[in-house]
Amino acid sequence: MDSLKKKEKIIHTITTSSSNESIIDIGTEQNCINPSCFFCTMKEPDSMIRRAGLQNCFKEMPFRDSQALALVLSGLWNIAMTQPDDPEFPSLGVFHCMASLIQKGIDNRSWLLKDQNIYIPYYAAHIIGSYTMNKVKFAEKAVQSGVIPPLMDLLRGKISWVEQRVAVRALGHLASFEKTFDAVAMYEEDVVKSAMQLASNCLEVVYSKFVGVRDAKERLKYHSDLLTRGVGGLDTENRKAEEWACQLQRWSLNLLNCFACKERSLNLICRQDFLRNLCEMWGGLVMNHVSPAGVGLIRILCYSKHGRKSIAESKEVVRSLCNLSRSSDDWQYIGIDCLLLLLKDQDTRFKVIEVSALFLVDLVELRSLGNRSNVGEAITRVLLFYYRQSMLKLKNNEVQKVLQEIWDLKVERRKREKTMTEEMVEERRVLAGLIKQQGNHMFWLGNIEEASVKYTEALDLCPLRLRKERVALHSDRAQCRLLLGNPDAAISDLTRALCLSTPANSHSKSLWRRSQAFDIKRLAKESLMDCVMFLNGCIKTETAKGVRIPYHAARMISKQMEATWLFANLKSKTSSNRSSRVQELDGDHSKNYEKQKYDEMMRIMIEKKGFISRLSTMGNEGLERKMERARSKKAVVARSINGR
């Protein structure tokens, strides 16, 4: 009964608002005389009559030429989205009905463009995807009802990217169940190639056909209506289109994951050009906090021998994994996992060790990362497992030096320090502290190189168990290296400091300094993530009276969000080809959209890192005011140049 009441409420809302607020501007007549009217059937109190009527509706719907058909599909979509596990409609033939409507829209273009029928294939595919999301028996019913062929036509782009989005979602759900995977796999090559093309090109398609089209009159109206449901203008459409583009890419990758998990079509998925594209499929802040995107598929590929071989042959992919492993990104652990899987395989170990060892050496003292414990020990074991063999086979002196450093730190030095008494530890702590003070004095006198040497001496003396003291020493030495123009060495030191901090990646000074170093290296994504974490630390240390956004952090976030925006590269390409007159015409709109884009990304960023409660009463306007206030305080800039 509760389910029926919810459905009736949804139908009542749609029919009463159809004349003004609904995207489909069709009203329902007061005195309906159609015996097959879906809305009238839904109001039937007798359950037996109602079910028989609904079954008849689903049978006749593909053959009726009613102006209200799109409105009916809109109602079904709302019900499917809110009650995806309700068995009533799936048991009465909704899947066969939706499959027939999609096929009709593809085959009969004149019907598709008549009245409001253009909306029907989108809603029909969305309904299939919603009902097959959780229940395997619904998925089996959908396959038996013939939904895959019309969904495949939508996936191939027979209508537009909007329908591709919901088609790839539905096919991903069907492929995720063991009992229905084979039905999707009958179109394996076509599915995989289409999903790869979508994942690689969907951002360009959405930008060129929608976001990059400034004039609202030149955009497909039904796309705009579906995105905003009649509420909001161009800015709202653009933000929603960005979200849908992320979903289209994410759901395409999910479909590919279903095949990669079963080691199917790896010869297609492991193409070098596609693997390189995967590294760029980050999704930005819109997607990053809910999906590992491209790197998630890379990890799946690393579980297979064929996948590891292909990934090891791509220097760009390996380096991308290395950068991820030394970041504060949510998916840092995936980068580490992939590198360890490559290093454990004898066939790929020596192809990747010369690059990966230079990065992983900074993580050997990492205790925990999220739910994972002893991460550093796992890295140490893998790197040193073939220690003697590696030293003989490797010709790279730098890698040999790194492996020797790990051996000395994790084996020899640990062995020596086990015999140290508490008095000896305290004596070394005091001595290291004195040398650190000397380094600080030299730093403030401007003798940066001498200060760096002193910090190194202090680190050599400081016992391994004194993690807090070593965090400060690594961070201070990194600041010297940053000022000396060596961002690589600075990132190495700062990563070690962040691994030693408790919890990992929580030392604010190191986060800010590494954000600066990543910025110098033009690693915008990594710089942004560190700056986000730095801002998190600033907010947590503020009093309850208010939150102060440091100017240097606000400036860095603004810069890196612009660089990592989903359509950043596409925008720059398009802008270079547009005339200055056109740019002037839409300049105000562009600025307005940019501001709203930053506000939205800031909100997502705050939610992502788990400190929304401190800012919930502030709102975007309050946050913007505080950022503007920070910009006017030149004293803050002076104090924050060195992040000290």
Side-chain angles (χ1 to χ4, degrees), residues 539 547 603 606-607 611-620:
I539 291 172
V547 177
R603 180 189 65 77
I606 290 167
E607 290 178 348
F611 50 92
I612 187 64
S613 59
R614 293 292 305 277
L615 298 181
S616 58
T617 58
M618 185 189 300
N620 284 338

Side-chain angles (χ1 to χ4, degrees), residues 7-22:
K7 290 177 184 176
E8 289 177 346
K9 185 177 180 180
I10 291 170
I11 295 300
H12 175 74
T13 302
I14 293 170
T15 55
T16 54
S17 63
S18 62
S19 61
N20 45 33
E21 293 182 358
S22 176

Side-chain angles (χ1 to χ4, degrees), residues 146-276:
V147 301
I148 292 181
L151 288 175
M152 284 299 304
D153 281 340
L154 293 183
L155 181 68
R156 297 181 187 109
K158 288 294 181 71
I159 300 182
S160 77
W161 67 268
V162 165
E163 289 78 18
Q164 282 180 304
R165 168 179 167 268
V166 287
V168 76
R169 170 180 178 253
L171 288 168
H173 294 329
L174 294 173
S176 66
F177 295 112
E178 193 68 34
K179 292 185 177 180
T180 54
F181 172 80
D182 288 339
V184 180
M186 288 179 64
Y187 304 84
E188 182 170 350
E189 185 175 352
D190 202 359
V191 168
V192 171
K193 285 183 177 180
S194 297
M196 288 171 62
Q197 185 177 14
L198 267 181
S200 300
N201 303 330
C202 64
L203 301 186
E204 183 176 354
V205 170
V206 175
Y207 188 82
S208 63
K209 295 188 178 298
F210 197 87
V211 177
V213 180
R214 299 296 187 183
D215 188 351
K217 295 179 182 178
E218 295 181 8
R219 295 182 173 186
L220 286 177
K221 184 180 181 300
Y222 89 98
H223 283 185
S224 299
D225 291 339
L226 287 171
L227 284 161
T228 65
R229 299 197 60 78
V231 180
L234 288 179
D235 297 327
T236 305
E237 289 177 10
N238 286 337
R239 291 198 305 274
K240 197 67 178 176
E242 183 176 349
E243 180 184 333
W244 280 23
C246 282
Q247 291 173 346
L248 178 53
Q249 189 175 74
R250 185 175 81 204
W251 291 337
S252 300
L253 292 173
N254 177 62
L255 183 54
L256 292 172
N257 268 323
C258 295
F259 287 89
C261 286
K262 297 180 180 296
E263 299 190 21
R264 302 277 292 263
S265 294
L266 294 185
N267 58 319
L268 293 174
I269 300 173
C270 290
R271 279 174 18 198
Q272 289 297 310
D273 58 338
F274 183 65
L275 291 178
R276 287 192 294 272

Side-chain angles (χ1 to χ4, degrees), residues 218-404:
E218 295 181 8
R219 295 182 173 186
L220 286 177
K221 184 180 181 300
Y222 89 98
H223 283 185
S224 299
D225 291 339
L226 287 171
L227 284 161
T228 65
R229 299 197 60 78
V231 180
L234 288 179
D235 297 327
T236 305
E237 289 177 10
N238 286 337
R239 291 198 305 274
K240 197 67 178 176
E242 183 176 349
E243 180 184 333
W244 280 23
C246 282
Q247 291 173 346
L248 178 53
Q249 189 175 74
R250 185 175 81 204
W251 291 337
S252 300
L253 292 173
N254 177 62
L255 183 54
L256 292 172
N257 268 323
C258 295
F259 287 89
C261 286
K262 297 180 180 296
E263 299 190 21
R264 302 277 292 263
S265 294
L266 294 185
N267 58 319
L268 293 174
I269 300 173
C270 290
R271 279 174 18 198
Q272 289 297 310
D273 58 338
F274 183 65
L275 291 178
R276 287 192 294 272
N277 287 340
L278 284 178
C279 298
E280 303 300 321
M281 295 179 195
W282 178 52
L285 292 172
V286 175
M287 182 177 173
N288 190 55
H289 66 302
V290 293
S291 168
V295 72
L297 179 55
I298 289 175
R299 180 174 62 167
I300 295 297
L301 295 174
C302 282
Y303 288 128
S304 68
K305 199 161 190 69
H306 187 284
R308 290 192 297 272
K309 181 177 180 295
S310 300
I311 290 169
E313 290 172 353
S314 174
K315 292 182 179 179
E316 293 93 335
V317 177
V318 174
R319 184 162 289 276
S320 178
L321 292 172
C322 289
N323 287 331
L324 178 62
S325 71
R326 285 201 311 187
S327 74
S328 54
D329 191 281
D330 285 350
W331 313 118
Q332 178 187 4
Y333 72 90
I334 293 183
I336 296 173
D337 283 352
C338 291
L339 292 174
L340 294 184
L341 287 168
L342 292 168
L343 288 168
K344 288 177 182 178
D345 188 338
Q346 289 188 351
D347 294 332
T348 58
R349 176 180 178 84
F350 291 101
K351 292 181 180 180
V352 301
I353 194 170
E354 291 193 356
V355 176
S356 61
L358 304 180
F359 289 78
L360 292 177
V361 63
D362 301 327
L363 304 170
V364 294
E365 293 191 89
L366 180 60
R367 283 182 176 172
S368 61
L369 193 62
N371 297 325
R372 295 162 182 257
S373 58
N374 300 320
V375 178
E377 293 299 319
I379 294 171
T380 302
R381 284 196 299 271
V382 171
L383 286 174
L384 296 183
F385 188 75
Y386 298 108
Y387 173 63
R388 300 300 180 191
Q389 181 183 350
S390 299
M391 294 295 280
L392 291 173
K393 290 189 69 172
L394 288 170
K395 297 179 180 179
N396 189 316
N397 293 332
E398 192 174 0
V399 178
Q400 288 183 345
K401 183 180 177 181
V402 162
L403 293 178
Q404 186 62 52

Side-chain angles (χ1 to χ4, degrees), residues 284-550:
L285 292 172
V286 175
M287 182 177 173
N288 190 55
H289 66 302
V290 293
S291 168
V295 72
L297 179 55
I298 289 175
R299 180 174 62 167
I300 295 297
L301 295 174
C302 282
Y303 288 128
S304 68
K305 199 161 190 69
H306 187 284
R308 290 192 297 272
K309 181 177 180 295
S310 300
I311 290 169
E313 290 172 353
S314 174
K315 292 182 179 179
E316 293 93 335
V317 177
V318 174
R319 184 162 289 276
S320 178
L321 292 172
C322 289
N323 287 331
L324 178 62
S325 71
R326 285 201 311 187
S327 74
S328 54
D329 191 281
D330 285 350
W331 313 118
Q332 178 187 4
Y333 72 90
I334 293 183
I336 296 173
D337 283 352
C338 291
L339 292 174
L340 294 184
L341 287 168
L342 292 168
L343 288 168
K344 288 177 182 178
D345 188 338
Q346 289 188 351
D347 294 332
T348 58
R349 176 180 178 84
F350 291 101
K351 292 181 180 180
V352 301
I353 194 170
E354 291 193 356
V355 176
S356 61
L358 304 180
F359 289 78
L360 292 177
V361 63
D362 301 327
L363 304 170
V364 294
E365 293 191 89
L366 180 60
R367 283 182 176 172
S368 61
L369 193 62
N371 297 325
R372 295 162 182 257
S373 58
N374 300 320
V375 178
E377 293 299 319
I379 294 171
T380 302
R381 284 196 299 271
V382 171
L383 286 174
L384 296 183
F385 188 75
Y386 298 108
Y387 173 63
R388 300 300 180 191
Q389 181 183 350
S390 299
M391 294 295 280
L392 291 173
K393 290 189 69 172
L394 288 170
K395 297 179 180 179
N396 189 316
N397 293 332
E398 192 174 0
V399 178
Q400 288 183 345
K401 183 180 177 181
V402 162
L403 293 178
Q404 186 62 52
E405 180 186 348
I406 298 172
W407 179 268
D408 292 341
L409 178 71
K410 301 291 285 185
V411 180
E412 299 295 341
R413 187 168 173 180
R414 182 183 288 180
K415 190 186 301 182
R416 290 196 304 269
E417 291 190 6
K418 277 185 178 181
T419 61
M420 290 174 60
T421 63
E422 291 299 324
E423 291 78 7
M424 294 171 67
V425 171
E426 179 62 19
E427 182 182 339
R428 287 206 174 195
R429 185 190 68 79
V430 172
L431 186 56
L434 291 172
I435 297 174
K436 179 192 173 185
Q437 289 180 12
Q438 294 174 6
N440 291 343
H441 181 66
M442 291 178 179
F443 181 88
W444 291 115
L445 289 176
N447 298 325
I448 308 301
E449 291 185 5
E450 291 84 348
S452 179
V453 171
K454 286 296 179 183
Y455 293 140
T456 301
E457 290 179 14
L459 276 168
D460 291 338
L461 275 172
C462 192
L464 297 179
R465 70 186 76 174
L466 301 180
R467 295 174 71 90
K468 186 176 180 181
E469 288 80 358
R470 293 172 64 221
V471 167
L473 287 167
H474 275 297
S475 188
D476 289 343
R477 186 172 68 174
Q479 181 69 352
C480 295
R481 291 174 166 178
L482 202 56
L483 292 172
L484 292 170
N486 191 348
D488 289 310
I491 291 170
S492 177
D493 255 330
L494 293 166
T495 302
R496 297 182 187 207
L498 290 166
C499 288
L500 289 167
S501 63
T502 305
N505 299 325
S506 63
H507 188 245
S508 292
K509 279 187 179 181
S510 297
L511 285 166
W512 169 244
R513 290 166 177 169
R514 195 170 69 170
S515 179
Q516 291 176 300
F518 279 140
D519 181 46
I520 294 171
K521 295 286 292 180
R522 296 185 179 181
L523 296 172
K525 179 178 69 174
E526 289 78 6
S527 177
L528 176 60
M529 290 293 100
D530 278 354
C531 202
V532 169
M533 292 294 285
F534 168 70
L535 181 59
N536 184 11
C538 292
I539 291 172
K540 286 182 177 179
T541 56
E542 289 289 344
T543 63
K545 294 181 180 179
V547 177
R548 298 177 61 187
I549 306 296

